[in-house]
Amino acid sequence: MQSAVSRTLDWIETHVVRASLAKAMLLVIGCTLVAIQAMAISQDLIVSKAAIRDAASKRADAALNMLESVHTQAMTNRKMIADGDSAIATLNGTMDQFSGESKDVKLWVVMGDKIVAFQKKQHAGELETARDAVDAATLSSGEPQSVLNGETLRLTRPIKLGQGSARMKSCAGCHEGLMGINSGEVMGAYSAEVNLAPEQAVWASQARSETARSVFFTLVTIGILFLMLRIVAFRPLANLTAATQKLADEQLDAEVDYSDRPDEIGKIARALDSFRLKLIEKRSISAENNYNAYLAQHDGLTGLPNRLQFNARLDDAILAAQGSNRRVAGVIIDIDRFKYINDRHGHEAGDAVLRATASNILHTIREGEFIARMGGDEFGAWKIFANDQELEEFLDRIETALAASVTIHAVTLKPIASIGVSIWPDHTRRREQLINNADLAMYRAKADIRNKRFMFDVDMDENARRRSELVEDLAVARRYGQLSVQYQRQNNAESGEVTGYEALCRWTHPKHGAISPCEFIPLAEESGLICDIGEWVLREACATGARQSAPIIMAVNVSAIQIGDVEFPRLVHQILIDTGLAPSRLEIELTETALVQNRDRALHVLRQIKALGVQVAIDDFGVGYSSLETISLFPVDKIKIDRSFIQDIESHAKAQSLIRAILLMGDSLGIPVLAEGVETQSQLDFVRAAGCSQVQGYLFGLPCNEEDMRAYFAQVDAKRGSVAAVPRRVRRKAA
Ligand code: C2E
Ligand code: CA
Ligand code: CA
């Protein structure tokens, strides 16, 4: 970029040099103009000087003519009046008069040595008076010669003796000198002298003012030209240079005008502007790159570092702790029931919870500690610490930050988070393992209602290993006939009569033996195997139900994943057709959690299932999140009170109140209530007294296979048969 700038600067510099050249040329042009003006003026002056001289010589010539005629007249007069002096006097007078009128022309006549009779008359110039003269006719004048001497122009015309030849005059003495004069011989001269001083003075002042004027006009011309050049070229160039300098200093707000000019300046401006745009583009690209780099390392929602950066910085932290007595704690934090927050209050609320959680933790972070969003509702943190106390203090701080409530749209949420911790190098020396361990500890905390912070221990790792082993085995369990279905009775609370059976899946593991559905069903849900297993159980249960002569209800547990599948109603329909079970004899059991997890979808699917004529029961009622809402929203045919309430009947008054409340609610909504897990007579007595219409539990029977079910029915039928043979009165007595 720098080289491009310097190139542009060079370019501009070239143009600045050109501008300087233009300035110099302007100066030269000015000087030339002045010189031309001066030459023109001097030419004018020469011409006008010649004109002055010409006019002066004409004046002198006219004066000479006059002098000549006056002289000739004087000569003639002299001859006629025979008085030379008076003729001379006339000449003198005339010359006096002339000189009086024309001050600047002086006239005189000079006769040669041979005419000595002429006298000088001082007052009429240097006039020599002819005492005697030749005939006027004998005098002739030649071409005048002019001589400029300083400020005076003298015109001298020679006087020659005419053809008539000189004649002797009366005064022999006077004529002595004329003797020997030949015709055509120069014998004197008329002279006229003109004083050119005034003309020359006028001429000089004229020359001065002319020169001044021309200099003035030249300067004005140069000034105007310079001003024009300044406006047209110098100032734009200076502005462009300043703009380029600004660009070189990376000030991209540099304004580049003149782009629409068609000349060189326009070219520079356009080049500079495109250069500026490129710089802006480059800068925005680099800003974008920086932003992309930032995005690659940060989470968009919370602004926290992401998993990528977390891992890199954790590697650094482990490196920094190596060789010292310090350790590194890897922490995984997960918000409990986050999905519920999203489903119940909307994604906006979910986002707000994540942002608030992030910001709360971030504010507690100190030197040597790190927090990141790992994805979803999971956060990661680490700390380099020297003793357990430091770590405890750090974890307390995080827990306090997590305990803060979040208010969104007037709803205050108090999210609970589970924290798992693992220590380097105590638990592992590998970063990946450290995070896995913390994750396992976090899951342990999630499963616990009271303790929300767990330190990793080796058992957890064992557990995890067992879980992944079980998932692998579960995938092939059905193929190897390890799965089976057992059925547990549901009885009428009053009569004890069997109203239906609940199908419960069983897995007999070749190595571990019977594995509880409480363990393998969640694994099946996590791994997605539940769809396959669930379909199989449903088919088995329906087939079993259809095979029974008694019109019992067949209850089948359906998981959240199954109810979230829009194809599920079609599958149920198909199974009912295939097995021949009447839809009214099938009851699907769903937990509240399964329903609220994907409320809209569940509602949609459930309505379709209901439309088939299938019954719907809410399982584990009371331990869910929003029992009232579930009941009011979903089309429910039966409520199954969770067995934990029944187990607590004897010891907890609260459990009794809750059971009564549920029964009251069921009664008011017209929904029958079944009590699960009834093991003792007193429990039965209580629920029966409270108004429970159905019961299920070990008191009535353990889950059994189909054969046991049949045997039971056969037994009941047999009993009925024998009872039917006994008269009614006896039966009442026996009861
Ligand atoms: P659940 O649906 O609440 O099923 C009732 C559970 O309570 C059964 O445990 C049953 O054996 C047990 N039970 C019945 N009476 C008593 C009693 O008086 N006292 C006690 N302590 N327990 C009693 P099980 O068979 O171990 O099933 C556990 C859970 O596994 C079930 O709870 C159900 O949520 C799930 N499950 C079982 N089979 C399936 C299945 O095919 N599909 C799905 N999705 N879940 C299943
Ligand atoms: Ca159930
Ligand atoms: Ca249950």
Side-chain angles (χ1 to χ4, degrees):
M1 190 172 80
Q2 219 48 43
S3 70
V5 172
S6 60
R7 263 208 311 280
T8 311
L9 275 174
D10 285 351
W11 193 36
I12 293 237
E13 211 168 295
T14 318
H15 283 81
V16 170
V17 169
R18 279 193 204 171
S20 309
L21 275 175
K23 272 187 200 174
M25 271 171 67
L26 199 67
L27 217 68
V28 170
I29 289 169
C31 291
T32 314
L33 273 175
V34 172
I36 290 170
Q37 286 267 25
M39 271 165 64
I41 291 164
S42 57
Q43 193 63 33
D44 272 3
L45 288 177
I46 288 165
V47 170
S48 80
K49 198 164 187 175
I52 289 170
R53 195 175 160 168
D54 211 35
S57 81
K58 269 187 186 147
R59 204 147 31 106
D61 211 29
L64 280 183
N65 282 341
M66 188 216 45
L67 181 64
E68 190 181 325
S69 76
V70 170
H71 186 225
T72 309
Q73 196 67 46
M75 288 300 112
T76 311
N77 288 353
R78 185 176 163 271
K79 199 177 93 189
M80 282 188 335
I81 64 173
D83 183 359
D85 288 343
S86 63
I88 294 301
T90 309
L91 174 65
N92 285 344
T94 308
M95 280 169 48
D96 275 352
Q97 194 187 344
F98 182 82
S99 294
E101 282 168 9
S102 178
K103 292 265 184 324
D104 57 338
V105 183
K106 286 179 189 165
L107 292 172
W108 67 95
V109 180
V110 180
M111 284 306 189
D113 293 343
K114 289 179 182 169
I115 307 176
V116 293
F118 283 86
Q119 289 176 343
K120 280 192 179 168
K121 281 282 281 182
Q122 287 304 321
H123 63 276
E126 198 183 313
L127 175 70
E128 289 177 19
T129 310
R131 292 291 300 266
D132 206 342
V134 292
D135 278 340
T138 64
L139 289 174
S140 75
S141 54
E143 280 297 307
Q145 290 170 345
S146 69
V147 175
L148 185 66
N149 185 14
E151 292 177 339
T152 46
L153 178 76
R154 180 178 290 176
L155 222 60
T156 307
R157 193 185 287 167
I159 306 165
K160 296 171 190 173
L161 196 63
Q163 293 296 322
S165 84
R167 280 194 295 155
M168 288 298 218
K169 296 290 172 187
S170 51
C171 180
C174 296
H175 293 150
E176 271 168 28
L178 290 173
M179 296 306 286
I181 297 173
N182 300 316
S183 74
E185 195 175 326
V186 174
M187 43 182 283
Y190 299 120
S191 284
E193 209 173 71
V194 182
N195 182 13
L196 290 180
E199 276 94 343
Q200 275 192 358
V202 169
W203 174 79
S205 87
Q206 217 173 14
R208 270 199 302 277
S209 68
E210 283 274 311
T211 310
R213 204 168 52 212
S214 90
V215 166
F216 171 74
F217 280 121
T218 307
L219 286 178
V220 166
T221 311
I222 290 175
I224 288 171
L225 275 176
F226 183 79
L227 215 69
M228 277 166 64
L229 261 177
R230 196 180 148 73
I231 292 168
V232 171
F234 301 150
R235 194 185 294 159
L237 270 175
N239 288 347
L240 289 179
T241 310
T244 314
Q245 197 54 59
K246 269 183 125 181
L247 289 182
D249 296 341
E250 304 211 1
Q251 296 173 31
L252 300 184
D253 60 336
E255 262 184 49
V256 185
D257 283 338
Y258 322 110
S259 308
D260 46 356
R261 277 175 56 156
D263 57 359
E264 283 283 298
I265 302 257
K267 263 194 216 168
I268 302 176
R270 283 190 292 278
L272 211 58
D273 208 30
S274 80
F275 177 59
R276 186 175 75 98
L277 293 177
K278 271 187 195 139
L279 277 182
I280 289 172
E281 196 184 330
K282 255 191 191 168
R283 187 176 279 189
S284 76
I285 285 172
S286 81
E288 203 175 305
N289 286 344
N290 287 345
Y291 184 62
N292 286 341
Y294 174 86
L295 281 189
Q297 299 242 315
H298 288 82
D299 163 54
L301 179 72
T302 60
L304 285 184
N306 60 13
R307 183 187 286 273
L308 196 79
Q309 203 189 147
F310 177 85
N311 288 344
R313 300 289 301 276
L314 180 54
D315 285 340
D316 295 344
I318 289 172
L319 256 172
Q322 256 161 16
S324 72
N325 59 351
R326 292 179 306 166
R327 292 177 287 166
V328 181
V331 182
I332 293 291
I333 304 155
D334 198 283
I335 299 172
D336 292 1
R337 295 168 57 199
F338 183 70
K339 193 160 168 36
Y340 169 74
I341 294 174
N342 259 341
D343 292 340
R344 176 71 180 82
H345 301 284
H347 285 267
E348 207 186 326
D351 287 355
V353 167
L354 289 176
R355 270 198 293 265
T357 307
S359 140
N360 290 345
I361 304 177
L362 192 64
H363 279 101
T364 67
I365 292 295
R366 297 182 190 156
E367 176 124 29
E369 300 170 357
F370 197 83
I371 173 78
R373 184 180 172 205
M374 308 294 268
D377 56 351
E378 192 176 281
F379 295 87
W382 55 252
K383 179 186 173 69
I384 303 177
F385 66 102
N387 54 57
D388 292 352
Q389 225 172 327
E390 272 181 34
L391 177 62
E392 279 302 307
E393 186 270 332
F394 171 61
L395 296 172
D396 286 347
R397 252 191 290 136
I398 288 191
E399 240 175 16
T400 311
L402 286 169
S405 54
V406 182
T407 303
I408 174 145
H409 299 326
V411 177
T412 301
L413 301 171
K414 206 160 168 36
I416 299 164
S418 303
I419 303 174
V421 188
S422 177
I423 313 278
W424 176 95
D426 301 9
H427 300 140
T428 176
R429 298 195 75 87
R430 286 176 48 237
R431 185 251 294 156
E432 292 87 349
Q433 195 56 50
L434 187 72
I435 297 309
N436 280 348
N437 292 348
D439 223 30
L440 287 176
M442 183 275 288
Y443 276 115
R444 179 71 189 80
K446 224 176 225 310
D448 199 295
I449 303 168
R450 286 170 195 87
N451 188 3
K452 300 311 285 174
R453 189 207 291 182
F454 268 83
M455 180 65 75
F456 170 80
D457 70 49
V458 194
D459 289 353
M460 290 177 186
D461 203 20
E462 263 314 307
N463 248 333
R465 211 164 299 145
R466 177 183 153 92
R467 280 160 70 91
S468 62
E469 235 174 63
L470 284 184
V471 169
E472 269 175 40
D473 296 345
L474 186 59
V476 295
R478 197 161 69 78
R479 202 188 313 155
Y480 293 118
Q482 295 165 8
L483 295 185
S484 61
V485 181
Q486 290 206 334
Y487 305 91
Q488 187 180 29
R489 272 175 234 154
Q490 296 181 335
N491 301 64
N492 184 305
E494 280 300 324
S495 63
E497 198 183 347
V498 173
T499 53
Y501 277 85
E502 179 181 1
L504 295 161
C505 189
R506 296 286 171 264
W507 180 19
T508 313
H509 192 275
K511 196 166 102 191
H512 303 296
I515 292 174
S516 162
C518 290
E519 187 175 5
F520 74 82
I521 293 290
L523 289 182
E525 282 175 337
E526 280 166 31
S527 60
L529 290 170
I530 191 68
C531 294
D532 187 45
I533 295 171
E535 182 185 338
W536 177 79
V537 171
L538 184 64
R539 199 174 280 278
E540 285 290 305
C542 287
T544 305
R547 280 194 288 268
Q548 309 312 312
S549 53
I552 42 123
I553 294 278
M554 187 55 77
V556 180
N557 293 290
V558 169
S559 90
I561 293 164
Q562 288 170 285
I563 206 70
D565 180 8
V566 287
E567 289 298 312
F568 188 63
R570 211 187 311 245
L571 179 74
V572 173
H573 190 209
Q574 192 57 51
I575 289 174
L576 288 171
I577 292 169
D578 293 348
T579 57
L581 183 74
S584 59
R585 287 181 55 201
L586 175 64
E587 185 172 84
I588 59 165
E589 291 189 7
L590 288 157
T591 61
E592 288 168 74
T593 319
L595 288 173
V596 298
Q597 258 179 32
N598 203 335
R599 207 163 53 161
D600 295 342
R601 178 88 63 89
L603 194 59
H604 175 71
V605 171
L606 213 57
R607 278 184 182 143
Q608 284 179 280
I609 291 172
K610 283 282 305 168
L612 294 173
V614 173
Q615 309 283 306
V616 175
I618 294 287
D619 206 357
D620 304 343
F621 193 81
V623 295
Y625 305 131
S626 180
S627 304
L628 248 176
E629 193 191 13
T630 317
I631 291 294
S632 62
L633 197 67
F634 294 95
V636 173
D637 301 297
K638 188 190 279 179
I639 294 170
K640 293 182 79 179
I641 303 179
D642 190 70
R643 67 171 181 268
S644 58
F645 295 104
I646 312 299
Q647 271 154 13
D648 287 348
I649 284 173
E650 280 123 12
S651 51
H652 291 89
K654 202 173 165 188
Q656 295 181 2
S657 310
L658 271 166
I659 292 168
R660 283 199 191 96
I662 294 169
L663 284 162
L664 217 65
M665 185 185 70
D667 190 41
S668 66
L669 291 171
I671 304 171
V673 178
L674 180 149
E676 277 189 311
V678 178
E679 293 179 353
T680 64
Q681 188 58 46
S682 60
Q683 287 169 351
L684 175 65
D685 291 344
F686 178 84
V687 294
R688 199 156 45 184
C692 210
S693 57
Q694 289 175 40
V695 285
Q696 181 182 346
Y698 295 164
L699 184 65
F700 296 91
L702 293 170
C704 61
N705 56 29
E706 193 189 344
E707 258 157 59
D708 294 338
M709 188 198 294
R710 263 179 224 251
Y712 174 78
F713 280 130
Q715 198 186 340
V716 169
D717 279 350
K719 246 190 206 169
R720 259 199 206 126
S722 59
V723 171
V726 179
R728 193 179 259 196
R729 222 175 324 123
V730 181
R731 246 191 290 162
R732 214 180 283 140
K733 248 189 190 169

